[in-house]
Amino acid sequence: MLVQVALPVPLYRVFDYSVPVDVNASSSSSLPHIGCRVEVSFGRQTLIGIVVAHTSETDSSVPANKLKPINKCLDAEPILDANMLKLAHWLARYYHYPLGDVLAVILPNLVRQGKSLDLLITHWRVLPHASDNDFRANAKKQKQQFDMLKLHGERGASEDVLLLEGMERAFLKTLEDKGLIERYIEPKQAPSPVKLAKMPLDLNDEQQLAVAAIVAAHEAERYTGFLLNGITGSGKTEVYLQAMQAVLEAGKQVLILVPEIGLTPQTRARFASRFAAHIVLLHSGMNNTHRLQGWQDCRSGHAQIIIGTRSAVLYPFANLGLIVVDEAHDGSYKQQDTLRYHAADVALYRGLQYNIPVVLGTATPSLEHLKLVDDSKLVECQLLTRPGNAKPATMQLIDARLQSTHQQTTDDGARYDTGLTDALIGAIRQTLEAGNQVLIFLNRRGYAPVLLCEACGWQADCPRCDAHLTVHYNSQSQHNTYNSSYLKCHHCDWQAYIPTVCPDCGSQNVDAKGMGTTRLSENLHAIFANPQASKELYPIIQIDRDTTRRKDSWENIYQRINQGNPAILVGTQMVAKGHHFPNVTLVCLPNADRGFLSADFRSPEHTAQLMVQVAGRAGRGDKSGRVLIQTLQPDNELLLKLVKDGYLSFARELLQERKMMGLPPHSHAALIRCEGKTLAATTQALKDAVANLPHGHNLAVLGPIDAPMSKKNSRYHAQLLLLAKDRRQLHHVLNQWWQPVLALPSAKYLKLTLDIDPVGW
Ligand code: ADP
Ligand code: ZN
Ligand code: ZN
């Protein structure tokens, strides 16, 4: 008998190995189980792979008796069960990605590296007869490490904990060899049943219907995908909580996916205050040991509530009972490199796998999900009202062409434009004076997006990308050194000094153009936090990646906001997601509608989602909210539709448009990107790829064209789009076409990638 092994190599095949007789002495069968890790020689390398099948004959060119044997089997029991292997096969098929590479994405690093899964449960304790007399006077370090372990008493502590405390592995070994300490395996105890820690709220009728539908699917052990379509603040989380209760009480696990780690401390608190349960957080900030620990807890059933970002959907679960995808429209659910999966799609697949309900919750459903509702593949539950007194905010347009924008005078007397209309400034002042908070949304960090020479039109561009350099500058900063004034590319992180004269014509008229969050904060500061301009001084709190970079800074900002004193919050899309700011009653969008003009056909959808999500931050407490949208295009039909009729009618109209144009979700897309040293080479490879398409393929082929940012980090990008009416059609073509394309002579030295269901092109 032979084993087929999936190896982490970019080849679309598995590899046959023979098995020496004594390789798996610990197991009764002489073959490593399917789902176990094995170490094998591969060319000149030694790799760790997963056994995916047993077979009696090999279809490789090497005769069976010449096949290389595996070096060793690392696991007595499979580390991936049948469901996980099925998931891996499905991902490989659907995303046309090599199985071995899929497994490499699924497995935590330490597992991939072949570490023992017992690592976490290996405990160390001091042996009863060991005493201080066993140490020679000069063995100070040994004694110190021994004392460290002794502090943990009879039961000792896990290796993991000891290493964190500063214990060194080498000393554990030495002390063990001297017969002073011993290792033992501490089996994890089954978690105690989940208990309610707090009474649930009384649901309104809409919430009740939603919970009942989800719980019914759970009780019937029937896969059902739900679209929980509820306006912001309508109590979606309460629906999750009460549906979870039934599932947890039945002894099953609940997986909750959230868009971003910035959200998880608050999210965790909401779940932890309701349930006394073992809650596990999974996110990209974890170190390898914690990831492995989380992986093991999910796999063993120890974890009862799992809150995680995108990749948590790929974890193994002992007895999963419900998956919730919060803010299911969010772009972060789509992985943008290697295995380009969409976590909401994978969540639905897993629901089907385990026969359990999957809830996609959002106030702004993606067109894909609306289409699934139309096709009866998702059951829609609507929440159209906010509980209690809170009223959804009203949206209002301010015509920035008619209104003069506020002029501000600098210290040296020059006047400049704040970019804010007088109407907007009036509303901000009113809100602050009434004791409330204002949120201003500007999706652009830094001081200004462009540095421009007024004399000759020169602009500061990134030498490595097709992009302007962003001006970073901070006149408020006490440390106004060169460190806080610089030009930076937001795509490749290239940095440069801000020139004092134009490098092209020598003119001194070099000026920052446009508005980023830093400049906006500064302008607001001059109006609302300057004793000469304002009676009261209001704090301006800037929230973007620059101000929240430090580990605790976001927590600090959050606390400052939730003290509730009047303040102006200026934020990028970081503030759009799920936050609860009870004292914000006014939300301003000075130019959020720019996205309606973008060339990307998905841009209107994403712009509207962002606007509605930001608007949803207004009036979430007992106070009602207002949303002001300042625009230079008040006649834009999409914008008017959104403001007058709301997101759903807006989305329905877009969906109709997509249908007419044959665009996703009314067709199915695959995007091929090609990256290389020259544009010509990348385009040529894609041309050859097109020439290789099978005859009569029936797909719409767009391109090759230059990618939206064709030069990025000194590399060139071209792309090719394939559209099919029918999903099977698309996969049928890709199955026979994609692998030969990768082997094209012109594709050598280029990076070709395939993106199924791309979110942008
Ligand atoms: P969403 O997730 O839909 O934006 P939340 O779940 O955050 O909304 O709910 C908004 C607010 O409404 C929260 O403060 C929540 O405690 C409250 N809430 C939700 N459901 C109810 C209910 N049935 N009765 C009273 N308050 C509720
Ligand atoms: Zn110039
Ligand atoms: Zn750049």
Side-chain angles (χ1 to χ4, degrees):
M1 285 294 274
L2 308 168
V3 287
Q4 288 189 338
V5 181
L7 292 171
V9 291
L11 296 170
Y12 286 81
R13 50 167 298 196
V14 292
F15 300 88
D16 295 341
Y17 284 88
S18 65
V19 182
V21 196
D22 60 342
V23 71
N24 204 10
S26 61
S27 157
S28 54
S29 134
S30 63
L31 277 183
H33 294 296
I34 293 173
C36 286
R37 291 172 296 172
V38 288
E39 188 193 285
V40 299
S41 314
F42 184 79
R44 264 177 284 166
Q45 295 169 281
T46 301
L47 296 177
I48 291 170
I50 300 282
V51 177
V52 293
H54 295 158
T55 173
S56 51
E57 51 201 67
T58 176
D59 53 5
S60 67
S61 50
V62 188
N65 59 1
K66 292 267 173 62
L67 280 178
K68 275 194 252 176
I70 60 171
N71 300 353
K72 61 179 175 205
C73 176
L74 302 182
D75 305 297
E77 293 300 322
I79 59 158
L80 292 174
D81 63 12
N83 269 332
M84 284 302 283
L85 287 173
K86 249 170 88 182
L87 171 69
H89 280 290
W90 178 76
L91 289 166
R93 259 197 331 273
Y94 188 83
Y95 293 105
H96 298 266
Y97 204 66
L99 181 63
D101 280 343
V102 168
L103 289 166
V105 171
I106 287 183
L107 295 172
N109 278 345
L110 293 179
V111 176
R112 237 164 52 205
Q113 291 160 11
K115 287 282 179 334
S116 162
L117 292 189
D118 291 340
L119 169 76
L120 303 166
I121 46 175
T122 298
H123 279 53
W124 292 89
R125 63 185 163 204
V126 170
L127 285 165
H129 61 75
S131 83
D132 294 358
N133 301 334
D134 291 318
F135 295 92
R136 273 180 287 126
N138 58 0
K140 283 217 185 84
K141 180 85 192 239
Q142 276 184 28
K143 175 73 172 42
Q144 179 246 335
Q145 298 256 309
F146 175 79
D147 287 343
M148 220 185 272
L149 179 55
K150 218 163 117 187
L151 283 179
H152 287 279
E154 236 163 77
R155 293 183 53 217
S158 75
E159 179 159 321
D160 189 30
V161 166
L162 292 169
L163 293 178
L164 278 174
E165 283 177 4
M167 202 90 170
E168 288 169 37
R169 206 171 298 213
F171 280 94
L172 286 172
K173 186 88 180 65
T174 316
L175 295 172
E176 184 185 32
D177 290 346
K178 292 182 78 172
L180 300 176
I181 68 174
E182 68 170 355
R183 68 173 95 201
Y184 70 104
I185 303 289
E186 163 124 300
K188 275 209 168 174
Q189 280 161 3
S192 35
V194 174
K195 283 206 276 300
L196 263 190
K198 202 163 109 191
M199 281 312 284
L201 301 175
D202 285 333
L203 299 179
N204 65 28
D205 291 352
E206 291 173 333
Q207 286 175 315
Q208 257 172 36
L209 280 175
V211 171
I214 301 166
V215 171
H218 153 69
E219 283 171 350
E221 296 182 26
R222 187 178 61 224
Y223 161 70
T224 313
F226 291 95
L227 177 65
L228 181 62
N229 180 359
I231 60 167
T232 53
S234 59
K236 292 185 286 297
T237 311
E238 190 61 31
V239 171
Y240 306 154
L241 285 165
Q242 300 205 19
M244 284 167 70
Q245 191 180 329
V247 175
L248 293 167
E249 281 171 354
K252 298 211 158 181
Q253 298 170 293
V254 176
L255 169 65
I256 301 155
L257 297 179
V258 294
E260 229 171 74
I261 190 50
L263 286 181
T264 38
Q266 284 83 36
T267 316
R268 187 206 162 95
R270 275 184 93 171
F271 293 103
S273 66
R274 178 68 57 88
F275 300 110
H278 182 50
I279 301 183
V280 166
L281 289 186
L282 303 173
H283 54 82
S284 56
M286 294 184 294
N287 65 26
N288 281 340
T289 315
H290 282 142
R291 178 155 320 167
L292 179 56
Q293 198 149 23
W295 200 75
Q296 287 284 64
D297 279 356
C298 293
R299 196 165 82 96
S300 65
H302 204 72
Q304 293 164 314
I305 300 176
I306 301 100
I307 305 173
T309 47
R310 183 179 60 220
S311 62
V313 80
L314 303 178
Y315 273 55
F317 298 98
N319 57 352
L320 194 59
L322 169 69
I323 307 178
V324 171
V325 184
D326 194 24
E327 314 286 358
H329 64 279
D330 195 274
S332 70
Y333 286 125
K334 171 81 175 173
Q335 165 109 349
Q336 296 288 13
D337 57 11
T338 66
L339 177 63
R340 293 174 161 76
Y341 65 94
H342 196 294
D345 292 334
V346 180
L348 292 174
Y349 175 80
R350 300 206 76 178
L352 190 63
Q353 228 183 0
Y354 292 92
N355 296 315
I356 57 172
V358 179
V359 181
L360 311 180
T362 172
T364 51
S366 71
L367 301 190
E368 272 68 18
H369 293 155
L370 288 176
K371 171 84 166 32
L372 289 179
V373 170
D374 293 347
D375 296 346
S376 305
K377 291 188 177 142
L378 289 178
V379 174
E380 186 177 27
C381 301
Q382 289 197 324
L383 307 179
L384 299 172
T385 53
R386 286 184 174 183
N389 300 327
K391 295 270 166 299
T394 51
M395 281 197 183
Q396 210 180 317
L397 292 182
I398 294 180
D399 187 344
R401 300 168 314 176
L402 300 179
Q403 284 262 347
S404 68
T405 47
H406 190 86
Q407 300 284 314
Q408 194 68 30
T409 314
T410 59
D411 293 342
D412 50 18
R415 290 180 71 71
Y416 68 93
D417 194 340
T418 59
L420 302 168
T421 54
D422 289 335
L424 207 58
I425 290 184
I428 295 172
R429 186 173 295 286
Q430 223 177 20
T431 307
L432 295 170
E433 283 172 356
N436 295 318
Q437 295 175 338
V438 179
L439 171 65
I440 307 185
F441 172 72
L442 182 65
N443 209 8
R444 204 178 239 171
R445 68 195 168 90
Y447 184 79
V450 189
L451 188 73
L452 176 80
C453 169
E454 308 262 13
C456 76
W458 170 87
Q459 299 180 337
D461 288 332
C462 177
R464 301 198 293 210
C465 306
D466 279 339
H468 297 314
L469 294 170
T470 300
V471 185
H472 284 256
Y473 169 73
N474 194 343
S475 65
Q476 302 293 324
S477 161
Q478 282 103 33
H479 325 281
N480 199 4
T481 58
Y482 273 103
N483 288 338
S484 58
S485 301
Y486 54 92
L487 296 168
K488 182 169 181 173
C489 174
H490 284 186
H491 304 281
C492 74
D493 287 347
W494 169 274
Q495 288 202 19
Y497 290 123
I498 299 179
T500 46
V501 297
C502 170
D504 271 11
C505 74
S507 158
Q508 290 187 342
N509 266 342
V510 182
D511 235 346
K513 287 285 166 212
M515 184 90 76
T517 42
T518 309
R519 186 176 216 172
L520 179 58
S521 301
E522 227 169 67
N523 290 346
L524 289 163
H525 205 271
I527 305 169
F528 293 105
N530 170 2
Q532 277 147 23
S534 181
K535 280 198 303 274
E536 291 275 337
L537 304 186
Y538 300 102
I540 318 285
I541 306 175
Q542 187 182 333
I543 310 163
D544 54 33
R545 271 208 282 144
D546 295 320
T547 61
T548 57
R549 191 156 302 172
R550 283 212 355 261
K551 218 172 163 195
D552 52 348
S553 44
W554 174 232
E555 278 303 300
N556 291 339
I557 289 179
Y558 210 78
Q559 276 175 15
R560 252 178 98 193
I561 297 171
N562 280 344
Q563 282 165 2
N565 299 325
I568 303 178
L569 328 179
V570 176
T572 56
Q573 59 176 338
M574 276 188 74
V575 300
K577 302 186 180 181
H579 301 295
H580 194 58
F581 304 129
N583 281 306
V584 168
T585 58
L586 174 65
V587 168
C588 303
L589 300 98
N591 61 1
D593 53 338
R594 254 182 325 157
F596 287 136
L597 298 177
S598 160
D600 180 358
F601 80 95
R602 281 185 210 260
S603 191
E605 177 189 355
H606 294 160
T607 304
Q609 285 168 344
L610 202 50
M611 288 173 70
V612 172
Q613 292 290 342
V614 177
R617 300 313 113 204
R620 287 173 68 90
D622 289 333
K623 303 162 181 169
S624 60
R626 251 176 106 187
V627 181
L628 297 177
I629 301 166
Q630 176 178 295
T631 178
L632 284 169
Q633 32 164 343
D635 308 324
N636 184 304
E637 278 176 27
L638 284 172
L639 180 60
L640 286 173
K641 179 91 189 151
L642 178 65
V643 169
K644 279 217 297 269
D645 302 337
Y647 177 80
L648 269 192
S649 339
F650 168 88
R652 285 279 164 205
E653 188 161 306
L654 280 188
L655 196 55
Q656 196 54 37
E657 232 171 66
R658 299 260 185 100
K659 185 173 185 179
M660 270 156 39
M661 294 162 74
L663 287 170
H666 279 283
S667 60
H668 303 278
L671 181 68
I672 292 94
R673 295 189 184 87
C674 185
E675 177 187 328
K677 278 195 194 142
T678 67
L679 205 48
T682 57
T683 310
Q684 186 56 48
L686 291 180
K687 275 187 186 152
D688 293 349
V690 173
N692 264 286
L693 276 167
H695 289 294
H697 58 69
N698 221 358
L699 306 183
V701 181
L702 282 70
I705 53 166
D706 301 355
M709 234 178 88
S710 64
K711 184 179 168 203
K712 192 167 169 183
N713 214 352
S714 302
R715 305 274 292 172
Y716 291 86
H717 301 253
Q719 64 184 36
L720 174 70
L721 183 70
L722 304 180
L723 284 175
K725 283 235 164 54
D726 182 73
R727 194 186 284 288
R728 267 171 319 176
Q729 222 176 23
L730 178 66
H731 286 279
H732 183 68
V733 169
L734 291 174
N735 280 338
Q736 34 180 324
W737 174 73
W738 176 240
Q739 291 175 41
V741 165
L742 288 174
L744 283 173
S746 56
K748 221 173 168 183
Y749 308 120
L750 301 178
K751 186 178 163 197
L752 272 165
T753 57
L754 174 59
D755 189 351
I756 303 289
D757 308 328
V759 284
W761 60 69

